[in-house]
Amino acid sequence: MVLTSTSSRSAAYLQRSCRTLFAARSYSTNVVDCDVVIVGGGPAGLALASALGSSSVASKKISVTLVEGGDLHKIKSWNPAPDNFSNRVVSLTNTSQQFLKDTGAWSYLDQGRTCGVEQMQIWDGLSDARIEFFAEDLGPEIRKVGMSRLTENFNLQRGLLKHIENLPSVTLLDKTRVQSIRKGDSTDGAWPIVQLDNNQTLRARLLVGADGFNSPVRAYAQIPSFGWSYDTQAIVATMIHPPRGAYEGPNTTAYQRFLATGPIAFLPLSPCISSLVWSTKPALAKALLSCDPEVLSAMINASFRLPHISLKYLNSRILEEHAAGHPITPAKIREEIQWREKVHGFDQHSIYSSANAQSQLGVASMDSETLPPLITSIQPASPASFPLRFNHAETYLGEDSNARVVLVGDAAHTIHPLAGQGLNLGLADVECLSKCIENSLSSGGDIGSYTALLPYAQERYLANHILMAAVDKLHKIYTTELEPVVWARSTGVEILNELDTVKAALMMSAGAQTGPSLDASSAGWTMAGNAVQTLASASKTIGIMGNVVGNVLGAAVKNLAASQDQDTPDYPGILPTLQEAQTVIAQLTDEAQDKRESIVTLLSHINKLKEDIDAISNKLLEKIPLSTACHDAQGELWSASIESALIRLSLLKAQTEREFYNHSIPSTEAGKSTTKTSSKTVNQALEMGYGHLRAQEADMTKEAHQLDRQLLEYTNMLELVEGGKKGAYKQIVDDWAEVKQGTDECLKDLRRLGWTGD
Amino acid sequence: MNPVRMQFIRDKLHEIAADEDTSTSLQPDQVLNGLDVLDVGCGGGLLTESLARMNARTTGIDASKSNISIATLHAQADPRLRDSGNINYLHTSAETLLDQPKRYDVVCSMEVLEHVDNPSQFLATCAELVKPGGHLFLSTISRTPLAYALTILMTEEILQNVSRGTHTYSKFVKPSELVQFFREYRSSSTGPNSSSALKPWITTPASANYIPRTEAELRGLIYNPLAARWHLAPRDAWGALECNYIFWVRKPKN
Ligand SMILES: Cc1cc2nc3c(=O)[nH]c(=O)nc-3n(C[C@H](O)[C@H](O)[C@H](O)COP(=O)(O)OP(=O)(O)OC[C@H]3O[C@@H](n4cnc5c(N)ncnc54)[C@H](O)[C@@H]3O)c2cc1C
Ligand SMILES: C[S@@+](CC[C@H](N)C(=O)[O-])C[C@H]1O[C@@H](n2cnc3c(N)ncnc32)[C@H](O)[C@@H]1O
């Protein structure tokens, strides 16, 4: 590798490693021919350079030039004190680590600055529904290495730079920005021409955009991307805390609590130091970062411990004070927190109490591992914040006149960090792309050609999209302020199921140590995405049920009123009972009405979500020819949602039945001797209502059957089209598709070559 | 379809090289290094370029002048190809090239056979251009109803994508006909005391439904529209030879 910063030196090196074209070709300056030009020296770009430079096939046949605007020397000579940690930390899955081991880069990371995650604790801030998982559950191999490994971005980047240093086919140009990119002359193959701000010009056989979210390369290739910014900022910081006690496990547990404002995560780095990723509302992030760091640490401790309602209050206090122009003081916030803890009845010595923050207890309480250690301080200057967004390029390859461009990492996709997958996706891209390049090289391909790059896009686009959609949906479900979702969450049941699928997804990502790992983990993420959809459909069911409950109770009350008129003179003792029953029922009706209303809002929200998702998948369908496996997965997804909707339906039915009986008992008992008629009337009304319910259920079952039939038809059709069953229809469709695509491909090649077909 | 054709060529050559020298450390991607390779009917030069990138000394010939200029321009745009000197285009026909003494380690002719008027003569010409012990690779379309429906009816008549008359059904050569040709074919002249002149290229009798792996191989080329990719059918895949297929045969050594 050649690391150069000044333009004269780099020009000299470049001439050595690449060939130069002179002005005769209508360029005003020297144009240097390069095989692979990578724009961006972030983790993804560096990992690609290190993979290509260390590949026995690629390093012999192609040169790699990486252009980075920032100062890579600084990163390479980064040498922090052992107890000082950078605020940017990533969790690398075993798959990512394996890739870095395969290229040889991993051994250049300072292993002392990495931390294997042996346990994860994830819980819901509203319901306290919790899941925990342990590396040892994933088998002996994972037990040894952990579910994933946390390290600083800088440690990874520095390791990659040290690895690249020994790779002669790689040239690094840092402190150099890409100024513009244009298309070369068509007589000269129209290869992309990259203009650098040091007056150098590179002509690229393959131009790789590893240039992050704002990717200039993506803009050049006119690749649209779709996405939205979450109304969320991620606060990062390096947190200092006492070591775990003698009776506790080591600091190797990652914690994440889903708060209504976004998830807060605690990522262990060393026995006394951990990293914070706290996604929250931008205003709150701003207010918190303008306070004394002690306020931040107090709020971190509180956010892992206090109930939702208190956090809401504390947040509003912080915002108020901030708006008034005087950030809240550490003393004030501590006082507020302690008051809140008292209100909630936290024992001073329990792990929930922040009074423990300053004192170091020798003996751990029983459940101390369910919470992260209390933060005592924040490493100076470490707090910072980043806006969070969802973004996915519509394609990873430049086409036609923008050919020879490929996107990797955040340039192709940006996601919410709640699952710690952003860079892991980027590294999976890099691994796939470098394999794809090697394959092409080993059969004499032109690595810039569409044909050579297509397998990369096909493999990565769908896999990334599945995970991205799952993570996006999770974020939306957990941060919505909409009452029904919050209500659904507070019941805990739904959320546990959901967390379970998140768990499965994470486990599969984590467990994917070897083999066809991508399939396993994306199956997990499909499940997670699916579960969220199931929640949505369950809420819809609740909506319908709510409606029924409302009607039934309405009818019951009407009947009661009627019977009251008739019965009062004859049975004077009945009145209080009836009145009582009436209040209960009125209450129930109100509740039902409330639920119904909120469910209607939820429905519209969910429909919006669904529309978004549908729009995305339609776009996806256009871009990516679906594989058989994907069709199958979709079929399964359908049947799974129908099935679970039915299960939930019966659960709801059972619950409703119970409610009815519970509420009919007092009035029946009270009126046993005196109010036969009224209790009869109530029962009749209830029976009637129950009948409605039954009818509704029958309708829904019918609907479900219909869906089942549709699904079956769909599956049969797919089978016809995709094989399995041999048949004339399949043959025709196959043949037609084959011919059409074959001709298209052929024509494209021919047109590209200007061949007329003689 | 180019990556699949290249993969077949590379792997077959490697397989034979490994057969002949079991101790060879030659990697599949080095197997074309320094070989003299001829691409007959190179068209725009897709295959020719790949062969040259694999470090073969490649000559691409085509009977069409415009194709040769397009191919030349295209290769010129690639600095590595240009500087390697591995690629050489000639505007000539296979028949004319035969007048020159030069013979080749590998002769390829992809998607040409179905366009020529006299397939036997064309095959004989290609065969003559191969050095003794060298290799001939052909790819073409079979004369089956399926091939007819796919290639002529659909592309020319229904989709009207290819100018009419590009393919003529009667010109399609069946795999069995190719095999039969090389059972009967004898090289005309390879020197005074050449025994290869007498040896057939494929030695099993027509009655045997079997071709020795070291003499010839037939593989289907199948397009999967869902994956938008061509792939090589496995050996002996049933029905795979119905349409596009690739064929390899080896000239007997002296
Ligand atoms: C708070 C937070 C927590 C995260 N946690 C995790 C986690 O736990 N696990 C995980 O896998 N991921 C995580 N991520 C995501 C991860 O950080 C990103 O996916 C990753 O940094 C992307 O790397 P990249 O190389 O693709 O892009 P970047 O790191 O953005 O690099 C792009 C590079 O391109 C350079 N560049 C841009 N334009 C030009 C130009 N014109 N000329 C020259 N150079 C240019 C930039 O200087 C930059 O160095 C997290 C993200 C955030 C915000
Ligand atoms: C369908 S194209 C094949 C292009 C290329 N081989 C490929 O597969 O990409 C057929 C080409 O064969 C050429 N051709 C036909 N007969 C020939 C002959 N006898 N000698 C040389 N070229 C011939 C034609 O000019 C035409 O360009």
Side-chain angles (χ1 to χ4, degrees), chain A residues 94-107:
Chain A
N94 289 320
T95 313
S96 296
Q97 290 169 55
Q98 191 56 47
F99 164 56
L100 295 170
K101 282 173 191 160
D102 291 345
T103 62
W106 185 254
S107 56

Side-chain angles (χ1 to χ4, degrees), chain A residues 309-331:
Chain A
I309 184 155
S310 288
L311 289 178
K312 209 166 163 178
Y313 169 77
L314 290 172
N315 290 344
S316 67
R317 290 283 297 116
I318 292 168
L319 286 172
E320 271 164 28
E321 304 274 312
H322 182 75
H326 41 81
I328 202 160
T329 61

Side-chain angles (χ1 to χ4, degrees), chain A residues 157-316:
Chain A
Q157 279 179 285
R158 184 181 59 178
L160 288 166
L161 284 166
K162 285 183 174 170
H163 182 222
I164 291 171
E165 193 171 30
N166 307 315
L167 306 174
S169 67
V170 181
T171 306
L172 298 183
L173 298 174
D174 72 339
K175 289 194 258 176
T176 308
R177 293 195 69 77
V178 168
Q179 225 162 33
S180 66
I181 307 173
R182 65 189 152 87
K183 193 168 64 149
D185 287 347
S186 61
T187 52
D188 208 16
W191 291 15
I193 310 281
V194 182
Q195 179 63 51
L196 306 181
D197 66 355
N198 62 4
N199 277 326
Q200 283 189 65
T201 311
L202 312 178
R203 177 171 176 260
R205 175 189 299 276
L206 174 61
L207 177 61
V208 182
D211 40 0
F213 164 66
N214 280 316
S215 177
V217 173
R218 193 179 64 218
Y220 155 73
Q222 296 181 304
I223 298 177
S225 67
F226 58 93
W228 42 82
S229 62
Y230 298 116
D231 182 27
T232 306
Q233 288 269 329
I235 305 177
V236 295
T238 305
M239 307 178 289
I240 301 169
H241 50 79
R244 289 281 193 182
Y247 299 96
E248 297 172 298
N251 187 34
T252 51
T253 303
Y255 296 88
Q256 180 152 275
R257 188 183 191 203
F258 282 96
L259 303 170
T261 41
I264 181 169
F266 175 102
L267 310 170
L269 291 172
S270 81
C272 310
I273 293 170
S274 300
S275 184
L276 170 78
V277 181
W278 182 2
S279 311
T280 191
K281 295 283 165 228
L284 192 63
K286 198 169 165 212
L288 276 169
L289 289 179
S290 64
C291 296
D292 187 303
E294 275 188 48
V295 173
L296 183 59
S297 39
M299 279 306 288
I300 294 168
N301 288 334
S303 294
F304 277 111
R305 289 165 176 78
L306 283 176
H308 170 67
I309 184 155
S310 288
L311 289 178
K312 209 166 163 178
Y313 169 77
L314 290 172
N315 290 344
S316 67

Side-chain angles (χ1 to χ4, degrees), chain A residues 573-574 576-578 580-581 660-676 678-680 682-683 686:
Chain A
I574 193 179
T577 321
L578 271 181
E580 196 193 322
F660 276 129
Y661 288 133
N662 279 349
H663 286 294
S664 59
I665 287 164
S667 56
T668 320
E669 267 177 359
K672 217 175 225 163
S673 49
T674 48
T675 62
K676 274 202 187 88
S678 86
S679 74
K680 206 174 115 212
V682 172
N683 280 341
L686 288 176

Side-chain angles (χ1 to χ4, degrees), chain A residues 707-749:
Chain A
L707 274 173
D708 266 340
R709 261 202 309 280
Q710 262 176 22
L711 184 73
L712 193 72
E713 260 168 46
Y714 178 74
T715 321
N716 284 341
M717 228 160 77
L718 269 178
E719 239 168 334
L720 259 180
V721 177
E722 288 181 346
K725 282 181 198 160
K726 291 256 171 216
Y729 184 63
K730 168 197 181 288
Q731 194 64 57
I732 293 165
V733 175
D734 266 0
D735 291 351
W736 182 81
E738 184 171 357
V739 172
K740 188 160 163 22
Q741 297 261 3
T743 332
D744 286 349
E745 194 197 37
C746 198
L747 277 178
K748 207 167 159 185
D749 279 344

Side-chain angles (χ1 to χ4, degrees), chain A residues 19 35 205 458 753 755, chain B residues 67 70 78 80 83 227 229:
Chain A
R19 291 152 306 282
D35 290 314
R205 175 189 299 276
Q458 286 180 329
L753 299 175
W755 186 52
Chain B
N67 279 356
I70 289 164
D78 185 324
R80 282 212 186 257
D83 297 355
R229 253 187 257 189

Side-chain angles (χ1 to χ4, degrees), chain A residues 19 33 35 61 203 205 442-446 458 625 735-736 739 741 743 745 752-755 758, chain B residues 6 10 50 53-54 64 67 70 74 77-80 82-83 146 150 154-155 161 223 226-227 229-230:
Chain A
R19 291 152 306 282
D33 275 319
D35 290 314
K61 301 195 172 176
R203 177 171 176 260
R205 175 189 299 276
S442 66
S443 59
D446 172 358
Q458 286 180 329
D735 291 351
W736 182 81
V739 172
Q741 297 261 3
T743 332
E745 194 197 37
R752 188 164 67 81
L753 299 175
W755 186 52
D758 61 335
Chain B
M6 281 304 297
R10 178 193 72 192
S50 293
R53 282 198 196 91
M54 300 284 281
S64 146
N67 279 356
I70 289 164
H74 193 262
D78 185 324
R80 282 212 186 257
R82 196 180 55 224
D83 297 355
L146 179 60
L150 288 186
M154 291 296 257
T155 54
N161 273 334
Y223 187 75
L226 289 171
R229 253 187 257 189
W230 284 90

